[in-house]
């Protein structure tokens, strides 16, 4: 008995169900990271503007130290999903274990670099004399949690590749609650100030890593995958992630340049920039939930040899990203007067932030397309193109941002440069998606 081919409407509905099933839990897990930063900002912000300015510099440095290794999640998701599509679960989990061992090695290396160099790195960012000591304290303590953060990235990639975004959601919710409680208790209850916020984050991250390891190890034992480190597998994992490392370093360079420029505009501007960047990160991770679904779905389709399914899923996810961006932009416009008092009562900070928030709102539909297409190409393992595209974006953004203090444009001009950066990213990713060159089928790319 033959079945009639699925209609376009039925195909869209099937993709919609799968996107929602993966993206909704992924959203909850993704927003945990910016919520960590926002909770820290809200708690530390009420200690004073200098403390918040110090946190702004330290948190960007810390996030950079972790986010440059985001390939531990993204490359692992794509590789595991391909093997799931090909029907080899044992090899899929083994791939994930290689990523976890690589995460531990990289985390130890980052600690060895950050602890002795923290004061010098903070000074390079132009933090004021009042903010620099707070930034150094927060950075040094929080660096101790970096290995746990990298393990979380790799383990999350394993679960996403296995089409499981619910477990990361449950772990993230528990981690956020623990982080907020620990920070409030250590900052105000124990009286440790900004150091208490850093220690609370370290403890919470270690607890999250332990929960992820429990889940992954249980799955490895169930499918007979080895837990031992494999030098060849770890090396292959590192090599596969290299283009994404270049891509992420370029993106982090853009964010670091933006923070360095904001720091030179004054304490009120850098404090406002920290608040806006926290919101921008929250919105970005919300949009990235669709991209996470895209990584898992595209990887599985390509692993199963279904090129047409991958194309159809890509088109539908772009539509989702555009509509979601419009909705988020409208919410930012409506909520911006209520948002700022949550972080500080300083009217100078409010004055600097309000017009920049309008640009953040207007750019959200662009961001929606960017994050979705980024996820699609990552799911396809198209890392080399992503690396070159982000390098081009950095070349366009850097001179525009660096001239902002010279022209006296202030924080609003800086966020106009950020909007330009996202527009360039959208154009490069759209051209690649249209070409179809990212479509390569098979269990490995």
């Amino acid at each position: 008995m033959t079945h009639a081919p699925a209609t376009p409407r039925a195909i869209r509905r099937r993709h919609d169900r799968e996107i929602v099933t993966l993206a909704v839990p992924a959203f909850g897990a993704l927003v945990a990271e910016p919520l960590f930063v926002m909770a820290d900002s809200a708690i530390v912000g009420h200690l004073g503007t200098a403390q918040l300015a110090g946190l702004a510099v330290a948190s960007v440095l810390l996030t950079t130290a972790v986010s440059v290794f985001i390939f531990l999640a993204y490359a692992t998701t794509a590789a595991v999903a391909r093997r799931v599509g090909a029907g080899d679960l044992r090899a899929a989990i083994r791939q994930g274990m290689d990523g976890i061992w690589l995460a531990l090695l990289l985390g130890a290396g980052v600690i060895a670099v950050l602890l002795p160099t923290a004061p010098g790195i903070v000074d390079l960012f132009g933090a004021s004399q009042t903010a620099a000591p707070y930034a150094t304290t927060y950075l040094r303590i929080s660096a101790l949690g970096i290995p746990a953060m990298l393990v979380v990235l790799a383990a999350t990639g394993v679960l996403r590749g296995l089409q499981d975004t619910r477990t990361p959601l449950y772990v993230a919710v528990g981690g956020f609650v623990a982080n907020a409680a620990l920070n409030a208790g250590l900052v105000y209850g124990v009286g440790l100030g900004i150091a208490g916020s850093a220690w609370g984050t370290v403890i919470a991250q270690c607890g999250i890593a332990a929960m992820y390891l429990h889940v992954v190890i249980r799955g490895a034992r169930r499918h007979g995958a080895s837990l031992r480190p494999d030098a060849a597998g770890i090396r292959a994992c590192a090599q596969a992630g290299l283009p994404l490392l270049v891509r992420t370093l370029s993106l982090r360079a853009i964010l670091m340049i933006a923070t360095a420029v904001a720091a030179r505009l004054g304490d009120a501007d850098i404090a406002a920039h920290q608040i806006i960047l926290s919101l921008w990160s929250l919105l970005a991770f919300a949009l990235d939930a669709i991209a996470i679904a895209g990584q898992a779905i595209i990887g599985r389709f390509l692993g199963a040899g279904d090129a047409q399914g991958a194309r159809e899923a890509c088109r539908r996810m772009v539509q989702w990203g555009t509509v979601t961006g419009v909705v988020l932009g409208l919410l930012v416009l409506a909520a911006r007067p209520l948002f700022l008092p949550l972080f500080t009562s300083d009217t100078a900070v409010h004055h600097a932030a309000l017009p920049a928030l309008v640009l953040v709102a207007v750019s959200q539909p662009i961001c929606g397309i960017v994050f979705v297409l980024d996820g699609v190409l990552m799911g396809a393992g198209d890392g080399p193109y992503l690396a070159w595209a982000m390098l081009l974006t950095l070349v366009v953004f850097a001179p525009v941002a660096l001239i902002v203090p010279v022209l006296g444009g202030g924080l609003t001009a800086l966020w106009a440069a950020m909007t330009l950066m996202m527009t360039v990213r959208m154009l490069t990713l759209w051209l690649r998606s249209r070409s179809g060159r990212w479509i390569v089928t098979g269990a490995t790319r």
Side-chain angles (χ1 to χ4, degrees):
M1 179 178 179
T2 59
H3 296 279
T7 64
R9 185 175 182 181
I11 292 172
R12 286 195 301 270
R13 285 180 175 177
R14 184 174 70 245
H15 286 312
D16 288 346
R17 284 194 300 270
E18 191 166 21
I19 291 168
V20 170
T21 299
L22 291 172
V24 171
F27 168 76
L30 284 168
V31 298
E33 182 175 337
L35 284 175
F36 271 42
V37 177
M38 291 178 72
D40 289 356
S41 299
I43 292 170
V44 172
H46 291 287
L47 292 173
T49 299
Q51 287 89 334
L52 183 59
L55 175 65
V57 173
S59 63
V60 168
L61 289 169
L62 181 67
T63 303
T64 299
V66 174
S67 296
V68 293
F69 303 115
I70 194 68
F71 70 85
L72 290 167
Y74 291 160
T76 303
T77 298
V80 171
R82 276 184 178 267
R83 285 164 173 78
V84 168
D88 192 348
L89 289 178
R90 181 178 179 180
I93 297 177
R94 177 63 257 183
Q95 179 87 24
M97 288 305 305
D98 291 335
I100 289 173
W101 281 110
L102 178 61
L104 289 170
L105 293 173
L106 292 173
V110 173
I111 288 180
V113 172
L114 271 185
L115 288 183
T117 60
I121 294 175
V122 168
D123 287 341
L124 284 175
F125 270 74
S128 68
Q129 291 183 350
T130 55
Y134 297 113
T136 301
T137 296
Y138 190 91
L139 182 60
R140 275 183 163 160
I141 296 171
S142 296
L144 300 175
I146 287 177
M149 296 179 193
L150 298 189
V151 166
V152 167
L153 290 178
T156 301
V158 177
L159 296 179
R160 289 173 182 168
L162 294 171
Q163 319 292 296
D164 176 11
T165 57
R166 290 184 178 274
T167 299
L169 170 61
Y170 301 146
V171 175
V173 170
F176 172 73
V177 172
N179 180 73
L182 285 166
N183 281 9
L186 293 174
V187 171
Y188 296 111
V190 181
L192 294 180
I194 196 170
S197 177
W199 280 117
T201 300
V202 169
I203 295 169
Q205 291 288 355
C206 289
I208 292 172
M211 287 187 282
Y212 271 118
L213 285 174
H214 171 72
V215 174
V216 174
I217 290 172
R218 185 179 59 190
R221 288 174 175 166
R222 182 185 306 122
H223 294 287
S226 174
L227 299 175
R228 295 179 180 179
D230 177 69
I234 294 172
R235 186 167 53 252
C237 185
Q239 290 172 347
L242 183 60
L244 290 181
L245 176 61
V246 174
R247 170 257 181 205
T248 303
L249 283 172
S250 301
L251 176 58
R252 297 313 305 182
I254 288 170
L255 298 180
M256 290 173 72
I257 289 170
T259 298
V261 169
R264 284 164 173 78
L265 297 175
D267 278 2
D269 283 301
I270 184 61
H273 179 73
Q274 167 65 12
I275 294 170
I276 295 171
L277 193 61
S278 297
L279 175 63
W280 191 78
S281 298
L282 175 63
L283 296 172
F285 278 106
L287 291 168
D288 210 25
I290 305 171
I292 294 301
Q295 290 177 38
I297 293 169
I298 294 296
R300 196 191 70 238
F301 272 125
L302 295 178
D306 189 352
Q308 183 60 30
R311 290 191 188 91
E312 292 168 351
C314 175
R315 283 196 295 268
R316 193 56 176 167
M317 283 182 285
V318 169
Q319 293 169 0
W320 273 77
T322 305
V323 173
T324 303
V326 171
V327 173
L328 290 176
L330 293 174
L331 289 175
V332 171
L333 285 176
R336 65 193 180 103
L338 305 175
F339 175 74
L340 293 172
L342 295 175
F343 295 90
T344 179
S345 57
D346 191 329
T347 55
V349 176
H350 290 193
H351 179 74
L354 280 172
L357 281 172
V358 175
L359 288 173
V360 172
V362 171
S363 67
Q364 287 312 294
I366 296 173
C367 293
I369 296 172
V370 167
F371 284 106
V372 167
L373 289 179
D374 211 32
V376 166
L377 297 184
M378 285 182 187
D382 200 16
Y385 180 83
L386 291 173
W388 284 111
M390 191 60 74
L391 283 170
L392 173 63
T393 304
L394 173 60
V395 169
V396 173
F397 170 79
V400 176
L402 292 173
I403 204 173
V404 166
V406 178
L407 297 180
L411 194 64
T412 303
L414 176 59
W415 277 91
M418 292 287 285
T419 303
L420 171 65
M421 178 269 294
M422 294 303 295
T423 302
V424 173
R425 289 188 68 192
M426 181 183 69
L427 291 174
T428 57
L429 296 174
W430 179 78
L431 288 172
R432 185 63 169 182
S433 69
R434 293 280 294 178
S435 73
R437 294 176 183 174
W438 54 276
I439 299 176
V440 179
T441 58
T444 58
R445 184 179 172 89

